[in-house]
Amino acid sequence: MKKFSIVIAGGGSTFTPGIVMMLLDNMDRFPIRELKLYDNDGERQGILGDALEILLKEQAPEVKFSHTTDPEAAFTDVDFVMAHIRVGKYAMREQDEKIPLKYGVVGQETCGPGGIAYGMRSITGMMEIIDYMEKYSPDAWMLNYSNPAAIVAEACRVMRPNSKVLNICDMPVGTLRRMSQIVGKTPDELEVRYFGLNHFGWWTSVKDKETGHEYLDEIKEYVAENGYLTQVEVDTQHMDESWQATHKKAKDLLAIEPRFLPNTYLKYYFYPDYEVSQSNPEFTRANEVMAGREKEVFTAARGIIEKGTAESSGFHIDSHASFIVDLARAIAFNTHERMLLIVENNGAIANFDDDAMVEVPCIVGSDGPEPLAQGKIPNFERALMLQQVTAEKMVVEAYIEGSYQKLWQALSLSKIVPNAEVAKNLLDDLIEANKGYWPELS
Ligand code: NAD
Ligand code: G6P
Ligand code: MN
């Protein structure tokens, strides 16, 4: 079997060790000859990189490993770029979450004003790494899960239309794991139909691959009572208490649209006041992650470095991230794997704009994704999606044109922002907080 060379962009991410361990665990399906980490923060990445170097020497000495801040070294001779950068890191995520809360507005990483602010930062970082990939490894593919994926995907569509970038989100993957447990199956045994935008969509079918049995009603019955909260631990990434509350809230999302199973992110759009009432403006999810996942991962890395061995280390396989291998394999081996991706609509949702970046099931092969037709969607969802996707498009337009007016309009369009006055106050605060990260707006 061919062996691949991979660079992880955003090597200093809290997810890097889990993904590297997952890759090592999948070497029989997806052999690796070289693995590199790339980040523009060498100090942060260095801690994980030094620890992983020790781990790889022990567990996979045949894989050539390095970590670097030099784009040429990082992006030369790679087959895949796995991208999970966070421009502005947690310090800026904290701002994205806390500034809206000052105005009684939802403060969230990818939704509403926080997501828009993050989007304006991410576009620069994403275009930079796409250009590095194309300069140094023109045949490579980027598998991107850097957020906010909806805005990033739209920016790719407009600014790098011919680049080989696949945008994917793990929320539907995680939720399918919960659904599969509800019906006593494994995710691999199920096949779904789904439509929407990233962090803004609905399942219309969850079928048994083999028998064709439709589980939608059975799962709905469960979700109407419990949301997606399940009895046993099924996820590696969405276990904190705040996530449990999110899984549970799906119950109220099903109540407003009982036909389909909701993506949990819809809660920010349908129940924003509730969300704000549950938020602590002094201690948001960014603080939770810094005190939790970030601390754990970097403490484990320091432990490995101190001991000089990764034996009984605190790094764990992020098994839920194996969809990244499925995606890479689909490209590398033309497997025609069926996966949800964020792609240009072009008729996949029959009564929605062709040029909208939507999240739908796709068949993925060596030439990339082929979206599967999801038919017509109801007016309720169509209207919600049009408002949301227009806001996302206007963020990208505002970025390209450096337009204050358009970004104000984008914020006003977000269902989460109550009115134009709040939108303007938010915008002025966000501009201040994002100095040096956003393009100049006038
Ligand atoms: P993190 O802050 O721990 O890691 C991000 C890393 O990116 C940092 O080390 C930072 O220095 C680096 N970085 C920032 N700008 C860069 C640039 N221009 N070039 C290279 N590196 C850069 O963040 P995290 O919580 O581990 O999350 C990483 C990313 O993955 C985020 O964008 C997050 O939203 C995303 N994510 C996406 C999904 C999904 O389903 N799509 C799931 C989980 C996480
Ligand atoms: C889900 C989403 C990601 C998001 C993550 C946030 O996995 O699909 O897009 O980045 O949650 O998780 P966190 O633990 O950082 O709040
Ligand atoms: Mn996501």
Side-chain angles (χ1 to χ4, degrees):
M1 221 190 300
K2 192 186 163 189
K3 290 188 174 180
F4 297 91
S5 169
I6 295 168
V7 59
I8 297 182
S13 158
T14 55
F15 295 109
T16 297
I19 287 182
V20 169
M21 303 274 287
M22 179 279 294
L23 288 171
L24 297 184
D25 197 44
N26 281 269
M27 289 269 275
D28 54 335
R29 305 198 295 144
F30 187 66
I32 298 170
R33 65 180 161 89
E34 178 160 12
L35 180 61
K36 298 184 262 191
L37 306 186
Y38 166 76
D39 204 291
N40 63 0
D41 179 342
E43 207 177 312
R44 182 183 174 87
Q45 173 176 260
I47 301 166
L48 303 183
D50 289 346
L52 284 168
E53 192 169 334
I54 295 169
L55 185 140
L56 263 100
K57 264 201 194 111
E58 291 175 349
Q59 300 186 12
E62 72 277 21
V63 177
K64 191 172 164 203
F65 178 79
S66 58
H67 52 100
T68 176
T69 55
D70 173 18
E72 184 173 357
F75 289 87
T76 299
D77 181 33
V78 296
D79 302 300
F80 291 98
V81 180
M82 298 182 177
H84 54 205
I85 64 170
R86 183 187 291 287
V87 178
K89 293 174 272 191
Y90 288 122
M92 288 309 296
R93 176 174 181 177
E94 190 178 1
Q95 295 297 310
D96 294 342
E97 293 168 350
K98 289 186 176 172
I99 291 170
L101 283 171
K102 278 203 321 200
Y103 297 92
V105 174
V106 169
Q108 213 280 326
E109 181 193 20
T110 62
C111 303
I116 289 174
Y118 186 12
M120 290 287 286
R121 293 196 302 275
S122 282
I123 295 172
T124 310
M126 283 302 303
M127 296 308 129
E128 199 176 87
I129 59 174
I130 292 171
D131 292 347
Y132 290 146
M133 174 177 86
E134 297 194 327
K135 181 169 178 195
Y136 297 115
S137 285
D139 295 329
W141 284 83
M142 183 176 290
L143 315 182
N144 177 58
Y145 31 99
S146 312
N147 270 315
I151 292 170
V152 166
E154 169 65 7
C156 290
R157 187 189 72 82
V158 176
M159 299 168 74
R160 297 292 184 279
N162 301 316
S163 297
K164 297 201 286 188
V165 182
L166 298 174
N167 292 290
I168 189 159
C169 169
D170 73 346
M171 198 66 233
V173 176
T175 305
L176 184 66
R177 279 162 77 98
R178 293 176 175 277
M179 293 179 186
S180 68
Q181 203 195 53
I182 291 166
V183 300
K185 290 275 156 187
T186 65
D188 288 347
E189 292 173 319
L190 302 174
E191 193 160 73
V192 306
R193 289 173 65 77
Y194 182 99
F195 74 84
L197 313 170
N198 178 236
H199 290 185
F200 202 102
W202 295 264
W203 282 266
T204 57
S205 169
V206 183
K207 277 190 180 172
D208 192 304
K209 246 185 219 171
E210 217 175 85
T211 66
H213 176 77
E214 177 62 82
Y215 287 112
L216 197 65
D217 286 341
E218 189 181 331
I219 301 172
K220 277 199 257 177
E221 219 170 282
Y222 183 94
V223 174
E225 285 283 316
N226 314 286
Y228 294 119
L229 262 193
T230 50
Q231 309 306 322
V232 191
E233 195 164 307
V234 278
D235 230 338
T236 48
Q237 201 194 330
H238 302 132
M239 297 311 295
D240 285 352
E241 211 175 302
S242 56
W243 269 111
Q244 304 294 354
T246 296
H247 302 316
K248 195 158 172 218
K249 192 72 183 162
K251 172 185 167 149
D252 296 330
L253 296 172
L254 182 65
I256 177 138
E257 173 49 285
R259 284 175 290 189
F260 311 132
L261 286 163
N263 188 301
T264 54
Y265 274 91
L266 289 164
K267 75 170 185 171
Y268 300 109
Y269 301 92
F270 284 118
Y271 300 102
D273 297 347
Y274 170 82
E275 269 316 303
V276 171
S277 77
Q278 300 298 299
S279 305
N280 177 353
E282 307 295 325
F283 196 84
T284 59
R285 178 65 187 156
N287 301 111
E288 214 171 88
V289 174
M290 285 186 271
R293 185 172 68 235
E294 187 184 43
K295 205 170 166 193
E296 280 159 28
V297 167
F298 281 84
T299 304
R302 289 195 179 92
I304 293 172
I305 297 166
E306 259 165 45
K307 283 192 226 140
T309 173
E311 261 173 51
S312 65
S313 80
F315 281 178
H316 307 289
I317 301 174
D318 186 354
S319 61
H320 108 289
S322 60
F323 67 90
I324 296 165
V325 167
D326 297 335
L327 182 57
R329 272 176 52 83
I331 299 286
F333 300 120
N334 202 26
T335 63
H336 294 119
E337 176 93 6
R338 180 171 165 150
M339 316 184 74
L340 296 192
L341 290 178
I342 306 157
V343 292
E344 191 161 346
N345 184 35
N346 285 328
I349 300 170
N351 54 344
F352 202 61
D353 297 23
D354 278 347
D355 65 358
M357 292 305 281
V358 296
E359 195 165 87
V360 289
C362 298
I363 299 294
V364 191
S366 297
D367 297 333
E370 290 183 60
L372 294 172
Q374 299 301 298
K376 284 191 182 171
I377 59 173
N379 276 337
F380 179 58
E381 281 79 7
R382 196 164 67 91
L384 289 161
M385 282 166 56
L386 191 58
Q387 178 180 13
Q388 176 66 13
V389 84
T390 307
E392 289 160 0
K393 282 178 172 294
M394 291 191 71
V395 173
V396 175
E397 284 174 28
Y399 178 95
I400 293 169
E401 295 166 26
S403 168
Y404 179 98
Q405 195 73 27
K406 279 202 172 158
L407 201 57
W408 182 16
Q409 290 175 347
L411 280 157
S412 307
L413 251 182
S414 172
K415 189 171 157 57
I416 286 172
V417 178
N419 60 55
E421 193 186 333
V422 171
K424 191 165 194 307
N425 290 333
L426 272 168
L427 177 55
D428 291 337
D429 282 12
L430 290 170
I431 289 174
E432 191 58 34
N434 282 278
K435 277 220 170 92
Y437 287 113
W438 286 9
E440 290 276 334
L441 301 181
S442 57

Short mmCIF file of all heavy atoms in Angstrom, two decimals, residues 109-110 145-150 168-172 198-199 237-238 243 263 265 342 359, ligand 3:
data_model
loop_
_atom_site.label_atom_id
_atom_site.label_comp_id
_atom_site.label_asym_id
_atom_site.label_seq_id
_atom_site.Cartn_x
_atom_site.Cartn_y
_atom_site.Cartn_z
N GLU A 109 -18.50 30.34 19.84
CA GLU A 109 -17.33 30.20 18.97
C GLU A 109 -17.66 30.38 17.48
O GLU A 109 -16.93 31.05 16.76
CB GLU A 109 -16.73 28.80 19.19
CG GLU A 109 -15.49 28.50 18.36
CD GLU A 109 -15.14 27.00 18.39
OE1 GLU A 109 -16.01 26.17 18.71
OE2 GLU A 109 -13.98 26.68 18.08
N THR A 110 -18.73 29.74 17.01
CA THR A 110 -19.00 29.72 15.56
C THR A 110 -20.33 30.35 15.16
O THR A 110 -20.59 30.49 13.96
CB THR A 110 -18.99 28.27 15.02
OG1 THR A 110 -20.05 27.55 15.66
CG2 THR A 110 -17.67 27.57 15.29
N TYR A 145 -10.80 21.38 9.09
CA TYR A 145 -11.85 21.49 10.10
C TYR A 145 -11.64 22.70 10.98
O TYR A 145 -12.20 22.80 12.08
CB TYR A 145 -12.03 20.19 10.89
CG TYR A 145 -10.76 19.38 11.07
CD1 TYR A 145 -10.04 19.44 12.24
CD2 TYR A 145 -10.28 18.57 10.03
CE1 TYR A 145 -8.86 18.73 12.39
CE2 TYR A 145 -9.09 17.87 10.18
CZ TYR A 145 -8.40 17.95 11.34
OH TYR A 145 -7.23 17.28 11.49
N SER A 146 -10.82 23.66 10.48
CA SER A 146 -10.70 24.93 11.21
C SER A 146 -12.04 25.66 11.12
O SER A 146 -12.68 25.68 10.09
CB SER A 146 -9.64 25.83 10.56
OG SER A 146 -8.45 25.13 10.32
N ASN A 147 -12.42 26.28 12.20
CA ASN A 147 -13.68 27.01 12.24
C ASN A 147 -13.49 28.49 11.97
O ASN A 147 -12.36 28.97 11.95
CB ASN A 147 -14.31 26.82 13.64
CG ASN A 147 -15.22 25.61 13.66
OD1 ASN A 147 -16.01 25.41 12.77
ND2 ASN A 147 -15.09 24.81 14.71
N PRO A 148 -14.56 29.25 11.81
CA PRO A 148 -15.93 28.77 11.62
C PRO A 148 -16.06 28.19 10.22
O PRO A 148 -15.92 28.90 9.22
CB PRO A 148 -16.77 30.03 11.80
CG PRO A 148 -15.83 31.17 11.47
CD PRO A 148 -14.45 30.72 11.78
N ALA A 149 -16.32 26.88 10.14
CA ALA A 149 -16.22 26.17 8.87
C ALA A 149 -17.14 26.73 7.79
O ALA A 149 -16.80 26.72 6.60
CB ALA A 149 -16.50 24.69 9.10
N ALA A 150 -18.30 27.24 8.19
CA ALA A 150 -19.24 27.77 7.19
C ALA A 150 -18.64 28.98 6.48
O ALA A 150 -18.67 29.08 5.24
CB ALA A 150 -20.56 28.15 7.84
N ILE A 168 -14.94 20.01 6.50
CA ILE A 168 -15.71 18.98 7.20
C ILE A 168 -15.89 19.35 8.67
O ILE A 168 -15.02 20.02 9.24
CB ILE A 168 -15.04 17.59 7.05
CG1 ILE A 168 -15.95 16.48 7.56
CG2 ILE A 168 -13.67 17.55 7.72
CD1 ILE A 168 -15.61 15.10 7.01
N CYS A 169 -16.99 18.92 9.24
CA CYS A 169 -17.30 19.20 10.64
C CYS A 169 -17.53 17.89 11.38
O CYS A 169 -18.06 16.94 10.82
CB CYS A 169 -18.55 20.06 10.71
SG CYS A 169 -19.24 20.24 12.38
N ASP A 170 -17.15 17.85 12.65
CA ASP A 170 -17.32 16.61 13.40
C ASP A 170 -18.62 16.54 14.20
O ASP A 170 -18.87 15.56 14.87
CB ASP A 170 -16.13 16.38 14.33
CG ASP A 170 -16.16 17.31 15.53
OD1 ASP A 170 -16.92 18.29 15.51
OD2 ASP A 170 -15.41 17.05 16.48
N MET A 171 -19.42 17.60 14.14
CA MET A 171 -20.64 17.57 14.96
C MET A 171 -21.62 16.49 14.48
O MET A 171 -22.11 15.70 15.29
CB MET A 171 -21.31 18.95 14.98
CG MET A 171 -22.30 19.12 16.12
SD MET A 171 -21.45 19.11 17.72
CE MET A 171 -22.36 17.84 18.58
N PRO A 172 -21.90 16.42 13.16
CA PRO A 172 -22.78 15.34 12.71
C PRO A 172 -22.20 13.95 13.00
O PRO A 172 -22.94 13.02 13.30
CB PRO A 172 -22.90 15.58 11.20
CG PRO A 172 -22.61 17.03 11.01
CD PRO A 172 -21.57 17.35 12.06
N ASN A 198 -23.35 24.43 7.63
CA ASN A 198 -22.54 23.94 8.75
C ASN A 198 -23.09 24.49 10.07
O ASN A 198 -23.41 25.68 10.17
CB ASN A 198 -21.09 24.35 8.58
CG ASN A 198 -20.25 23.90 9.76
OD1 ASN A 198 -19.59 24.71 10.41
ND2 ASN A 198 -20.27 22.62 10.08
N HIS A 199 -23.19 23.65 11.06
CA HIS A 199 -23.75 24.00 12.38
C HIS A 199 -25.17 24.54 12.24
O HIS A 199 -25.59 25.41 13.02
CB HIS A 199 -22.85 25.01 13.12
CG HIS A 199 -21.55 24.41 13.57
ND1 HIS A 199 -20.62 25.09 14.34
CD2 HIS A 199 -21.00 23.18 13.38
CE1 HIS A 199 -19.58 24.31 14.58
NE2 HIS A 199 -19.78 23.14 14.01
N GLN A 237 -15.03 13.92 22.54
CA GLN A 237 -14.84 15.37 22.47
C GLN A 237 -15.97 16.19 23.10
O GLN A 237 -15.78 17.35 23.43
CB GLN A 237 -14.69 15.77 21.00
CG GLN A 237 -14.01 17.11 20.84
CD GLN A 237 -14.15 17.64 19.44
OE1 GLN A 237 -14.24 16.88 18.48
NE2 GLN A 237 -14.20 18.94 19.31
N HIS A 238 -17.14 15.61 23.25
CA HIS A 238 -18.29 16.42 23.69
C HIS A 238 -18.85 15.93 25.00
O HIS A 238 -20.03 15.62 25.10
CB HIS A 238 -19.37 16.41 22.60
CG HIS A 238 -18.90 16.92 21.28
ND1 HIS A 238 -19.13 16.26 20.11
CD2 HIS A 238 -18.22 18.03 20.97
CE1 HIS A 238 -18.59 16.95 19.11
NE2 HIS A 238 -18.02 18.03 19.61
N TRP A 243 -21.48 20.59 27.37
CA TRP A 243 -21.87 19.81 26.19
C TRP A 243 -23.07 18.93 26.49
O TRP A 243 -23.96 18.75 25.64
CB TRP A 243 -20.70 18.97 25.67
CG TRP A 243 -19.88 19.70 24.65
CD1 TRP A 243 -18.60 20.16 24.80
CD2 TRP A 243 -20.29 20.08 23.33
NE1 TRP A 243 -18.19 20.79 23.66
CE2 TRP A 243 -19.21 20.76 22.73
CE3 TRP A 243 -21.47 19.92 22.60
CZ2 TRP A 243 -19.26 21.27 21.44
CZ3 TRP A 243 -21.53 20.42 21.31
CH2 TRP A 243 -20.44 21.10 20.74
N ASN A 263 -29.49 19.44 14.27
CA ASN A 263 -28.10 19.65 14.69
C ASN A 263 -28.16 20.46 15.99
O ASN A 263 -28.91 21.44 16.08
CB ASN A 263 -27.36 20.43 13.60
CG ASN A 263 -25.86 20.53 13.88
OD1 ASN A 263 -25.43 21.06 14.91
ND2 ASN A 263 -25.07 20.03 12.96
N TYR A 265 -26.38 22.67 17.20
CA TYR A 265 -26.03 24.10 17.12
C TYR A 265 -27.24 25.00 16.88
O TYR A 265 -27.16 26.21 17.09
CB TYR A 265 -24.97 24.34 16.04
CG TYR A 265 -23.56 24.13 16.57
CD1 TYR A 265 -22.95 22.89 16.50
CD2 TYR A 265 -22.86 25.16 17.17
CE1 TYR A 265 -21.69 22.67 17.00
CE2 TYR A 265 -21.59 24.96 17.67
CZ TYR A 265 -21.00 23.72 17.59
OH TYR A 265 -19.75 23.53 18.10
N ILE A 342 -19.07 20.10 3.55
CA ILE A 342 -19.60 21.44 3.28
C ILE A 342 -19.19 21.79 1.84
O ILE A 342 -17.99 21.99 1.57
CB ILE A 342 -19.04 22.45 4.30
CG1 ILE A 342 -19.32 21.96 5.73
CG2 ILE A 342 -19.65 23.84 4.07
CD1 ILE A 342 -18.40 22.54 6.79
N GLU A 359 -24.26 21.85 3.80
CA GLU A 359 -23.73 20.60 4.36
C GLU A 359 -24.69 19.49 3.97
O GLU A 359 -25.85 19.49 4.40
CB GLU A 359 -23.59 20.72 5.88
CG GLU A 359 -22.73 19.64 6.52
CD GLU A 359 -22.32 19.99 7.95
OE1 GLU A 359 -23.08 19.69 8.88
OE2 GLU A 359 -21.25 20.60 8.14
MN MN B 3 -18.04 21.87 13.61
#
